[in-house]
Amino acid sequence: MAAPLRHFLQFKDFSREELEHLFVRSGIIKARFKGYEPYHPLADRTLAMIFEKSSTRTRLSFEAGMHQLGGSAIYLNTRDTQLGRGEPVEDAAEVISRMVDIVMIRTFEQDIIERFAAHSRVPVINGLTNEYHPCQILADLFTYIEHRGPIQGKTVAWVGDSNNMCNTWLQAAEVLDFNVHVSTPPGYEVEAERAGLFGTDHFEAFADPMDACRDADLVTTDVWTSMGFEAENEARMKAFADWQVDAEMMRVARPDALFMHCLPAHRGEEVAAEVIDGVQSVVWDEAENRLHTQKALMEFLILGRVET
Ligand code: CP
Ligand code: NVA
């Protein structure tokens, strides 16, 4: 029997209890994979991946993950499909969702993926929009839990742009009950409505990034210029110059604080090489965990709760 139709378009689409289930499943699926134990619950299922922006990790982790679960994945990009020639996203959703079992989309405005999902017969996963990157935060949280245990009550310091990653950390803090200390340059502050927040209880803004990092359990950042905002690059380079995560910021965080970055990274811009390549950095685990957490996500969206 098919699972009831669910989508993962933003982090708060899932409850805390569902996320906890996903983290458990991620651990089981990861251990099986590491033990070379075949696990093919999605045999004969097909994933369509639609990319309107570049990707290394997202494409690879979804494509490899679907194969490892026994299914197949099809890569589509705007340039080679009728979407690039103006076919309405609603029509594309009607057609694509009659041919595959699940869809992953990386696109620009959140509205595009919401419209696709509204016309889809199958689950739709957000593989990054201008507003959110929920799959990355799923992997980041699983990575935190693997290294340090539950995140509830902990403090995450976000230094840099209030972009799709920042918004998703803020949503995750509300669902999983932890705190985010954000420091952005003036003019790049968090917009609560765009971030899709219920309130401000789990989020505090700091003018000085050192203050945001003080006593944090996790320090994280991302590129100063996200995909789609390249025209602003020069202005952003100037505005963000003092928002590089460096050894001094890591020193004021808790001694056991982790450093995360979703990658790709620019050493010498948003993060100093000694931090991203240092002992507190878990960036390679984060990248690997995209694979395991998204396998758990696809299992849940296609089959519902699997307990074995
Ligand atoms: N972190 C992330 O989503 O990487 P890609 O852009 O390479 O998919
Ligand atoms: N904020 C970045 C994340 C890349 C994975 C971007 O949107 O380009």
Side-chain angles (χ1 to χ4, degrees), residues 101-186:
D101 301 277
I102 190 162
V103 178
M104 190 285 311
I105 306 180
R106 168 167 285 195
T107 187
F108 292 89
E109 288 78 28
Q110 181 72 9
D111 174 61
I112 298 172
I113 200 168
E114 302 276 352
R115 282 160 49 212
F116 191 103
H119 288 261
S120 175
R121 291 182 169 200
V122 300
V124 179
I125 298 171
N126 182 346
L128 180 145
T129 56
N130 289 351
E131 288 84 355
Y132 308 118
H133 197 3
C135 292
Q136 182 69 52
I137 300 299
L138 213 51
D140 293 1
L141 287 165
F142 180 65
T143 305
Y144 186 87
I145 294 164
E146 276 190 321
H147 282 270
R148 296 284 183 264
I151 194 150
Q152 186 181 9
K154 304 286 182 188
T155 298
V156 174
W158 176 271
V159 176
D161 191 17
S162 62
N163 62 12
N164 42 14
M165 282 292 298
C166 176
N167 289 342
T168 313
W169 271 113
L170 290 167
Q171 283 198 0
E174 290 192 331
V175 182
L176 296 173
D177 190 24
F178 60 92
N179 308 303
V180 185
H181 289 179
V182 179
S183 181
T184 66

Coordinates of all heavy atoms in Angstrom, one line a residue, residues 101-186:
D101 N 8.0 7.8 -9.0 CA 7.4 7.6 -7.7 C 7.8 8.7 -6.7 O 7.2 8.8 -5.6 CB 8.0 6.2 -7.1 CG 7.6 5.1 -8.0 OD1 6.5 4.6 -7.9 OD2 8.5 4.7 -8.9
I102 N 8.8 9.5 -7.1 CA 9.2 10.6 -6.2 C 10.0 11.6 -7.0 O 10.6 11.2 -8.0 CB 10.0 10.0 -5.0 CG1 10.2 11.0 -3.9 CG2 11.3 9.3 -5.4 CD1 10.6 10.4 -2.5
V103 N 9.9 12.8 -6.6 CA 10.6 13.9 -7.3 C 11.4 14.7 -6.4 O 11.0 15.1 -5.3 CB 9.6 14.8 -8.0 CG1 10.3 16.0 -8.8 CG2 8.7 14.0 -9.0
M104 N 12.7 15.1 -6.8 CA 13.5 16.0 -6.1 C 13.7 17.2 -7.0 O 14.0 17.0 -8.1 CB 14.8 15.4 -5.7 CG 15.7 16.1 -4.8 SD 16.6 17.5 -5.4 CE 17.3 16.9 -6.9
I105 N 13.6 18.4 -6.4 CA 13.8 19.6 -7.3 C 14.7 20.6 -6.6 O 14.6 20.9 -5.4 CB 12.4 20.4 -7.5 CG1 11.4 19.4 -8.1 CG2 12.6 21.6 -8.4 CD1 10.0 20.1 -8.3
R106 N 15.7 21.1 -7.4 CA 16.5 22.3 -6.9 C 16.2 23.4 -7.9 O 16.3 23.3 -9.1 CB 18.0 21.9 -7.0 CG 18.9 23.1 -6.9 CD 20.3 22.7 -6.7 NE 20.6 22.2 -5.3 CZ 21.8 22.1 -4.8 NH1 22.9 22.5 -5.5 NH2 21.9 21.7 -3.6
T107 N 15.6 24.5 -7.3 CA 15.2 25.6 -8.1 C 15.4 26.9 -7.4 O 16.2 27.0 -6.5 CB 13.7 25.4 -8.5 OG1 13.3 26.4 -9.5 CG2 12.8 25.4 -7.3
F108 N 14.8 28.0 -8.0 CA 15.0 29.3 -7.5 C 13.9 29.6 -6.4 O 14.1 29.2 -5.2 CB 14.9 30.3 -8.6 CG 16.1 30.2 -9.5 CD1 16.1 29.3 -10.6 CD2 17.3 30.8 -9.3 CE1 17.2 29.1 -11.4 CE2 18.4 30.7 -10.1 CZ 18.4 29.8 -11.2
E109 N 12.8 30.3 -6.7 CA 11.9 30.7 -5.6 C 11.2 29.5 -5.1 O 10.8 28.6 -5.8 CB 10.9 31.7 -6.1 CG 11.4 33.1 -6.4 CD 12.2 33.1 -7.7 OE1 11.9 32.3 -8.6 OE2 13.1 34.0 -7.8
Q110 N 10.9 29.5 -3.8 CA 10.1 28.5 -3.1 C 8.8 28.3 -3.7 O 8.3 27.1 -3.8 CB 10.0 28.9 -1.6 CG 9.2 27.9 -0.7 CD 10.0 26.6 -0.5 OE1 11.2 26.5 -0.8 NE2 9.4 25.6 0.1
D111 N 8.2 29.3 -4.2 CA 6.9 29.3 -4.9 C 6.9 28.2 -6.0 O 5.8 27.6 -6.3 CB 6.6 30.7 -5.4 CG 5.3 30.7 -6.2 OD1 4.2 30.4 -5.7 OD2 5.4 31.0 -7.4
I112 N 8.0 28.1 -6.7 CA 8.0 27.2 -7.9 C 7.8 25.7 -7.4 O 7.0 25.0 -7.9 CB 9.4 27.3 -8.6 CG1 9.5 28.7 -9.2 CG2 9.5 26.2 -9.7 CD1 10.9 29.0 -9.8
I113 N 8.5 25.4 -6.3 CA 8.4 24.0 -5.8 C 7.0 23.8 -5.1 O 6.5 22.7 -5.2 CB 9.6 23.7 -4.9 CG1 9.8 22.2 -4.7 CG2 9.5 24.3 -3.5 CD1 11.1 21.7 -4.1
E114 N 6.5 24.8 -4.5 CA 5.2 24.7 -3.9 C 4.1 24.4 -5.0 O 3.2 23.6 -4.8 CB 4.8 26.0 -3.1 CG 5.7 26.4 -2.0 CD 5.5 25.7 -0.7 OE1 4.5 25.0 -0.6 OE2 6.4 25.9 0.2
R115 N 4.3 25.2 -6.1 CA 3.3 25.0 -7.2 C 3.5 23.6 -7.8 O 2.5 22.9 -8.2 CB 3.5 26.0 -8.3 CG 2.9 27.4 -7.9 CD 3.5 28.6 -8.6 NE 3.5 28.3 -10.1 CZ 4.4 28.8 -10.9 NH1 5.4 29.6 -10.4 NH2 4.3 28.6 -12.2
F116 N 4.7 23.1 -8.0 CA 4.9 21.8 -8.5 C 4.2 20.7 -7.6 O 3.5 19.9 -8.0 CB 6.4 21.5 -8.6 CG 6.8 20.2 -9.3 CD1 7.2 20.3 -10.6 CD2 6.6 19.0 -8.8 CE1 7.5 19.1 -11.4 CE2 6.9 17.8 -9.5 CZ 7.4 17.9 -10.8
A117 N 4.5 20.9 -6.3 CA 4.0 19.9 -5.3 C 2.4 19.9 -5.3 O 1.8 18.8 -5.2 CB 4.5 20.2 -3.9
A118 N 1.8 21.1 -5.5 CA 0.4 21.1 -5.5 C -0.2 20.4 -6.7 O -1.4 20.0 -6.6 CB -0.1 22.6 -5.6
H119 N 0.6 20.1 -7.7 CA 0.1 19.4 -8.9 C 0.7 18.0 -9.0 O 0.6 17.4 -10.1 CB 0.3 20.2 -10.2 CG -0.7 21.4 -10.2 ND1 -1.8 21.4 -11.0 CD2 -0.6 22.6 -9.5 CE1 -2.5 22.5 -10.8 NE2 -1.7 23.3 -9.9
S120 N 1.4 17.6 -8.0 CA 2.1 16.3 -8.1 C 1.3 15.2 -7.4 O 0.7 15.3 -6.4 CB 3.5 16.4 -7.4 OG 4.1 15.2 -7.4
R121 N 1.3 14.0 -8.0 CA 0.7 12.8 -7.5 C 1.7 12.1 -6.5 O 1.3 11.1 -5.9 CB 0.3 11.8 -8.6 CG -0.7 12.3 -9.5 CD -1.0 11.2 -10.5 NE -2.2 11.4 -11.2 CZ -2.9 10.5 -11.9 NH1 -2.5 9.3 -11.9 NH2 -4.0 10.9 -12.5
V122 N 2.9 12.5 -6.5 CA 3.9 11.8 -5.8 C 4.7 12.7 -4.9 O 4.7 14.0 -5.1 CB 4.9 11.0 -6.7 CG1 4.2 10.0 -7.6 CG2 5.8 12.0 -7.5
P123 N 5.4 12.2 -3.9 CA 6.1 13.1 -2.9 C 7.2 14.0 -3.7 O 7.8 13.5 -4.6 CB 6.8 12.2 -2.0 CG 6.0 10.9 -2.0 CD 5.5 10.8 -3.4
V124 N 7.3 15.2 -3.2 CA 8.3 16.2 -3.8 C 9.2 16.6 -2.6 O 8.8 16.9 -1.5 CB 7.6 17.4 -4.4 CG1 8.6 18.4 -4.9 CG2 6.6 17.0 -5.4
I125 N 10.5 16.6 -2.9 CA 11.6 16.9 -2.0 C 12.3 18.2 -2.5 O 12.6 18.3 -3.6 CB 12.6 15.8 -1.9 CG1 12.0 14.5 -1.3 CG2 13.8 16.2 -1.0 CD1 12.9 13.3 -1.4
N126 N 12.5 19.1 -1.5 CA 13.2 20.3 -1.8 C 14.7 20.0 -1.8 O 15.3 19.8 -0.7 CB 12.8 21.4 -0.8 CG 13.5 22.7 -1.1 OD1 14.5 22.8 -1.8 ND2 13.0 23.8 -0.4
G127 N 15.4 20.1 -2.9 CA 16.8 19.9 -3.0 C 17.6 21.2 -3.0 O 18.7 21.2 -3.3
L128 N 16.9 22.3 -2.6 CA 17.5 23.6 -2.4 C 16.6 24.6 -3.2 O 16.4 24.4 -4.4 CB 18.9 23.8 -2.8 CG 19.6 25.2 -2.6 CD1 21.1 25.0 -2.2 CD2 19.5 26.0 -3.9
T129 N 16.2 25.6 -2.5 CA 15.5 26.8 -3.2 C 16.2 28.0 -2.6 O 17.1 27.9 -1.7 CB 14.0 26.9 -2.8 OG1 13.9 27.0 -1.4 CG2 13.2 25.7 -3.4
N130 N 15.9 29.2 -3.2 CA 16.5 30.4 -2.6 C 16.2 30.6 -1.1 O 17.0 31.1 -0.4 CB 15.9 31.7 -3.3 CG 16.3 31.8 -4.8 OD1 17.2 31.1 -5.2 ND2 15.7 32.7 -5.5
E131 N 15.1 30.0 -0.7 CA 14.7 30.2 0.7 C 15.1 29.1 1.7 O 15.4 29.4 2.8 CB 13.1 30.3 0.8 CG 12.5 31.6 0.3 CD 12.3 31.6 -1.2 OE1 12.7 30.6 -1.9 OE2 11.7 32.5 -1.8
Y132 N 15.2 27.9 1.2 CA 15.4 26.8 2.1 C 16.3 25.7 1.5 O 16.4 25.5 0.3 CB 14.1 26.1 2.5 CG 13.1 27.0 3.1 CD1 11.8 27.2 2.4 CD2 13.3 27.8 4.2 CE1 10.9 28.1 2.9 CE2 12.3 28.7 4.7 CZ 11.1 28.8 4.0 OH 10.2 29.7 4.5
H133 N 17.0 24.9 2.5 CA 17.8 23.7 2.0 C 17.5 22.6 3.1 O 18.5 22.3 3.8 CB 19.2 24.1 1.9 CG 20.1 23.1 1.2 ND1 19.6 22.0 0.5 CD2 21.4 23.1 0.9 CE1 20.5 21.4 -0.1 NE2 21.7 22.0 0.1
P134 N 16.3 22.1 3.2 CA 16.0 21.2 4.3 C 16.8 19.9 4.3 O 17.1 19.4 5.4 CB 14.5 20.9 4.1 CG 14.2 21.3 2.7 CD 15.1 22.4 2.3
C135 N 17.1 19.4 3.1 CA 17.9 18.1 3.1 C 19.3 18.3 3.8 O 19.8 17.3 4.4 CB 18.1 17.6 1.7 SG 16.5 17.1 1.0
Q136 N 19.9 19.4 3.6 CA 21.2 19.7 4.2 C 21.1 19.7 5.7 O 21.9 19.2 6.4 CB 21.8 21.0 3.6 CG 23.2 21.3 4.1 CD 24.2 20.3 3.6 OE1 24.3 20.1 2.4 NE2 25.0 19.7 4.5
I137 N 20.1 20.4 6.2 CA 19.9 20.5 7.6 C 19.6 19.1 8.3 O 20.0 18.8 9.4 CB 18.9 21.5 8.0 CG1 19.3 22.9 7.5 CG2 18.7 21.6 9.5 CD1 20.6 23.4 8.0
L138 N 18.9 18.3 7.5 CA 18.6 16.9 8.0 C 20.0 16.2 8.2 O 20.2 15.6 9.2 CB 17.9 16.2 6.9 CG 16.8 15.1 7.2 CD1 15.9 15.6 8.3 CD2 16.1 14.7 6.0
A139 N 20.9 16.3 7.2 CA 22.2 15.7 7.3 C 23.0 16.3 8.4 O 23.7 15.7 9.2 CB 22.9 15.8 6.0
D140 N 22.9 17.6 8.6 CA 23.7 18.3 9.6 C 23.3 18.0 11.0 O 24.1 17.7 11.9 CB 23.6 19.9 9.4 CG 24.3 20.3 8.1 OD1 24.8 19.5 7.3 OD2 24.2 21.6 7.8
L141 N 22.0 17.9 11.2 CA 21.5 17.5 12.5 C 21.9 16.0 12.8 O 22.3 15.7 14.0 CB 20.0 17.6 12.6 CG 19.5 19.1 12.6 CD1 18.0 19.2 12.3 CD2 19.8 19.7 14.0
F142 N 21.8 15.2 11.8 CA 22.2 13.8 12.1 C 23.7 13.7 12.4 O 24.1 13.0 13.3 CB 21.9 12.9 10.8 CG 22.2 11.5 10.9 CD1 21.6 10.7 11.8 CD2 23.2 10.9 10.1 CE1 21.9 9.3 12.0 CE2 23.6 9.6 10.2 CZ 22.9 8.8 11.2
T143 N 24.4 14.5 11.8 CA 25.9 14.6 12.0 C 26.1 15.1 13.5 O 27.0 14.5 14.2 CB 26.6 15.5 11.0 OG1 26.3 15.1 9.7 CG2 28.1 15.5 11.2
Y144 N 25.4 16.1 13.9 CA 25.6 16.6 15.2 C 25.2 15.5 16.2 O 26.0 15.3 17.2 CB 24.7 17.9 15.5 CG 25.0 18.4 16.8 CD1 26.0 19.4 17.0 CD2 24.3 18.0 18.0 CE1 26.3 19.9 18.3 CE2 24.6 18.5 19.2 CZ 25.6 19.4 19.4 OH 25.9 19.8 20.6
I145 N 24.1 14.8 16.0 CA 23.6 13.8 16.9 C 24.7 12.7 17.0 O 25.0 12.2 18.1 CB 22.3 13.3 16.5 CG1 21.2 14.4 16.7 CG2 21.8 12.0 17.3 CD1 19.9 14.2 15.9
E146 N 25.2 12.3 15.9 CA 26.3 11.2 15.8 C 27.5 11.6 16.7 O 28.0 10.8 17.4 CB 26.8 11.0 14.4 CG 25.9 10.1 13.6 CD 26.6 9.8 12.3 OE1 27.3 10.7 11.7 OE2 26.6 8.7 11.8
H147 N 27.9 12.9 16.6 CA 29.1 13.3 17.3 C 28.8 13.7 18.8 O 29.7 13.5 19.6 CB 29.7 14.5 16.6 CG 30.5 14.2 15.4 ND1 31.8 13.9 15.4 CD2 30.1 14.0 14.1 CE1 32.2 13.6 14.2 NE2 31.2 13.7 13.4
R148 N 27.7 14.3 19.0 CA 27.5 14.9 20.3 C 26.2 14.5 21.1 O 25.9 15.0 22.2 CB 27.5 16.5 20.2 CG 28.8 17.0 19.7 CD 29.8 17.1 20.9 NE 31.1 17.7 20.4 CZ 32.1 17.0 20.0 NH1 32.1 15.7 19.9 NH2 33.2 17.7 19.6
G149 N 25.3 13.7 20.4 CA 24.0 13.4 21.0 C 23.0 14.4 20.7 O 23.1 15.3 19.9
P150 N 21.8 14.4 21.5 CA 20.7 15.2 21.2 C 21.0 16.7 21.1 O 21.9 17.2 21.8 CB 19.7 15.0 22.3 CG 20.1 13.7 22.9 CD 21.6 13.6 22.7
I151 N 20.3 17.4 20.2 CA 20.6 18.9 19.9 C 19.7 19.7 20.8 O 19.9 20.9 20.9 CB 20.5 19.2 18.5 CG1 21.1 20.6 18.2 CG2 19.1 19.2 17.9 CD1 21.8 20.8 16.9
Q152 N 18.7 19.1 21.4 CA 17.7 19.9 22.2 C 18.4 20.7 23.2 O 19.3 20.2 23.9 CB 16.7 19.0 22.8 CG 15.6 19.8 23.5 CD 14.6 18.8 24.2 OE1 14.8 17.6 24.3 NE2 13.5 19.4 24.7
G153 N 18.1 22.0 23.3 CA 18.7 22.9 24.3 C 20.1 23.4 24.0 O 20.6 24.2 24.7
K154 N 20.7 23.0 22.9 CA 22.0 23.4 22.5 C 21.9 24.8 21.7 O 20.9 25.2 21.3 CB 22.7 22.4 21.6 CG 22.8 21.0 22.2 CD 23.8 21.0 23.3 CE 23.9 19.5 23.9 NZ 24.8 19.4 25.0
T155 N 23.1 25.4 21.5 CA 23.2 26.6 20.8 C 24.0 26.5 19.6 O 25.2 26.1 19.6 CB 23.8 27.7 21.7 OG1 22.9 27.9 22.9 CG2 23.9 29.1 21.0
V156 N 23.4 26.9 18.4 CA 24.1 26.9 17.1 C 24.4 28.4 16.8 O 23.5 29.2 16.9 CB 23.2 26.3 16.0 CG1 23.8 26.4 14.7 CG2 22.9 24.8 16.4
A157 N 25.6 28.7 16.4 CA 26.0 30.0 16.0 C 26.0 30.0 14.5 O 26.7 29.3 13.8 CB 27.3 30.4 16.5
W158 N 25.2 30.9 13.9 CA 25.2 31.1 12.4 C 25.9 32.4 12.1 O 25.4 33.5 12.6 CB 23.8 31.1 11.8 CG 23.8 31.4 10.4 CD1 23.8 32.6 9.8 CD2 24.0 30.4 9.3 NE1 24.0 32.5 8.4 CE2 24.1 31.1 8.1 CE3 24.1 29.0 9.3 CZ2 24.3 30.5 6.9 CZ3 24.3 28.4 8.1 CH2 24.3 29.1 6.9
V159 N 27.0 32.4 11.4 CA 27.8 33.6 11.0 C 27.7 33.8 9.5 O 28.1 32.9 8.8 CB 29.2 33.5 11.5 CG1 30.1 34.7 11.1 CG2 29.3 33.3 13.0
G160 N 27.2 35.0 9.1 CA 27.3 35.3 7.6 C 25.9 35.7 7.1 O 25.2 36.5 7.7
D161 N 25.6 35.1 5.9 CA 24.4 35.5 5.2 C 23.1 34.8 5.8 O 23.1 33.7 6.1 CB 24.6 35.1 3.7 CG 23.5 35.7 2.8 OD1 22.9 36.6 3.2 OD2 23.4 35.1 1.7
S162 N 22.0 35.6 5.8 CA 20.8 35.0 6.3 C 20.1 34.3 5.0 O 19.1 34.8 4.6 CB 19.9 36.1 6.9 OG 19.5 37.0 5.9
N163 N 20.7 33.3 4.6 CA 20.3 32.6 3.3 C 19.4 31.4 3.6 O 18.9 31.2 4.7 CB 21.5 32.3 2.5 CG 22.5 31.3 3.2 OD1 22.1 30.7 4.2 ND2 23.7 31.1 2.6
N164 N 19.3 30.6 2.5 CA 18.5 29.3 2.6 C 19.0 28.4 3.7 O 18.1 27.8 4.4 CB 18.5 28.6 1.3 CG 19.9 28.6 0.6 OD1 20.9 28.9 1.2 ND2 19.9 28.2 -0.7
M165 N 20.2 28.3 4.0 CA 20.8 27.5 5.1 C 20.4 28.1 6.4 O 19.9 27.3 7.3 CB 22.3 27.3 5.0 CG 22.7 26.4 3.9 SD 22.3 24.7 4.3 CE 23.2 24.5 5.9
C166 N 20.6 29.4 6.6 CA 20.2 30.0 7.8 C 18.8 29.9 8.1 O 18.4 29.5 9.3 CB 20.6 31.5 7.7 SG 20.2 32.5 9.2
N167 N 17.9 30.2 7.1 CA 16.5 30.0 7.4 C 16.1 28.6 7.8 O 15.2 28.4 8.7 CB 15.7 30.3 6.1 CG 15.8 31.8 5.7 OD1 16.1 32.6 6.5 ND2 15.5 32.1 4.4
T168 N 16.8 27.6 7.3 CA 16.4 26.3 7.6 C 16.9 25.9 9.0 O 16.2 25.2 9.7 CB 16.9 25.3 6.5 OG1 16.6 25.8 5.2 CG2 16.3 23.9 6.7
W169 N 18.1 26.4 9.4 CA 18.5 26.2 10.8 C 17.5 26.8 11.7 O 17.2 26.2 12.8 CB 19.9 26.8 11.0 CG 21.0 26.0 10.7 CD1 22.0 26.1 9.7 CD2 21.4 24.8 11.4 NE1 22.9 25.1 9.8 CE2 22.6 24.3 10.8 CE3 20.9 24.1 12.5 CZ2 23.3 23.1 11.2 CZ3 21.6 22.9 13.0 CH2 22.8 22.5 12.3
L170 N 17.0 27.9 11.4 CA 16.0 28.6 12.3 C 14.7 27.8 12.4 O 14.1 27.7 13.5 CB 15.7 30.0 11.7 CG 16.9 31.0 11.9 CD1 16.7 32.3 11.1 CD2 17.2 31.3 13.4
Q171 N 14.2 27.3 11.3 CA 13.0 26.4 11.3 C 13.3 25.2 12.2 O 12.5 24.7 13.0 CB 12.6 26.0 9.9 CG 11.9 27.0 9.2 CD 11.1 26.5 8.0 OE1 11.0 25.3 7.7 NE2 10.4 27.4 7.3
A172 N 14.5 24.6 12.0 CA 14.8 23.4 12.7 C 14.9 23.6 14.2 O 14.5 22.8 15.0 CB 16.2 22.8 12.2
A173 N 15.4 24.8 14.6 CA 15.5 25.2 16.0 C 14.1 25.2 16.6 O 13.9 24.8 17.8 CB 16.1 26.5 16.2
E174 N 13.1 25.7 15.9 CA 11.7 25.7 16.4 C 11.1 24.3 16.5 O 10.5 24.0 17.5 CB 10.8 26.5 15.5 CG 11.2 28.0 15.5 CD 10.1 28.9 14.9 OE1 9.4 28.4 13.9 OE2 10.0 30.1 15.3
V175 N 11.4 23.4 15.5 CA 10.8 22.1 15.6 C 11.5 21.2 16.6 O 10.9 20.5 17.4 CB 10.9 21.4 14.2 CG1 10.2 20.0 14.2 CG2 10.2 22.3 13.1
L176 N 12.8 21.4 16.8 CA 13.6 20.5 17.6 C 14.1 21.1 18.9 O 14.8 20.5 19.7 CB 14.8 19.9 16.9 CG 14.4 19.0 15.7 CD1 15.7 18.6 14.9 CD2 13.7 17.8 16.1
D177 N 13.6 22.4 19.2 CA 13.8 23.0 20.4 C 15.3 23.2 20.8 O 15.8 22.8 21.8 CB 13.1 22.3 21.6 CG 13.1 23.0 22.9 OD1 13.2 24.3 22.8 OD2 12.9 22.4 23.9
F178 N 16.0 23.9 19.9 CA 17.4 24.4 20.3 C 17.4 25.9 19.9 O 16.4 26.5 19.4 CB 18.5 23.6 19.6 CG 18.5 23.5 18.1 CD1 19.2 24.4 17.3 CD2 17.7 22.6 17.4 CE1 19.2 24.4 16.0 CE2 17.7 22.5 16.0 CZ 18.5 23.4 15.3
N179 N 18.6 26.5 20.1 CA 18.7 28.0 19.9 C 19.7 28.3 18.7 O 20.7 27.6 18.6 CB 19.2 28.7 21.1 CG 18.4 28.3 22.4 OD1 17.2 28.5 22.4 ND2 19.1 27.7 23.3
V180 N 19.4 29.3 18.0 CA 20.3 29.8 17.0 C 20.7 31.2 17.2 O 19.8 32.1 17.4 CB 19.7 29.7 15.5 CG1 20.8 30.0 14.5 CG2 19.2 28.2 15.3
H181 N 22.0 31.5 17.4 CA 22.5 32.8 17.5 C 23.0 33.3 16.1 O 24.0 32.6 15.6 CB 23.7 32.9 18.5 CG 23.2 32.6 19.9 ND1 24.0 32.6 21.0 CD2 21.9 32.5 20.4 CE1 23.3 32.5 22.1 NE2 22.1 32.4 21.8
V182 N 22.4 34.3 15.6 CA 22.7 34.7 14.2 C 23.5 36.0 14.2 O 23.1 37.0 14.9 CB 21.4 34.9 13.4 CG1 21.8 35.3 11.9 CG2 20.6 33.6 13.3
S183 N 24.6 36.1 13.4 CA 25.2 37.4 13.2 C 25.4 37.6 11.7 O 26.1 36.8 11.0 CB 26.6 37.5 13.9 OG 27.1 38.7 13.7
T184 N 24.8 38.6 11.2 CA 24.9 39.0 9.7 C 25.4 40.4 9.7 O 25.1 41.2 10.6 CB 23.5 38.9 9.0 OG1 22.7 39.9 9.6 CG2 22.8 37.6 9.2
P185 N 26.0 40.8 8.5 CA 26.2 42.2 8.4 C 24.9 43.0 8.3 O 23.9 42.5 7.9 CB 27.0 42.3 7.0 CG 27.3 40.9 6.7 CD 26.4 40.0 7.4
P186 N 25.0 44.4 8.6 CA 23.8 45.2 8.5 C 23.3 45.1 7.0 O 24.1 45.1 6.1 CB 24.3 46.6 8.8 CG 25.6 46.4 9.4 CD 26.2 45.1 9.0

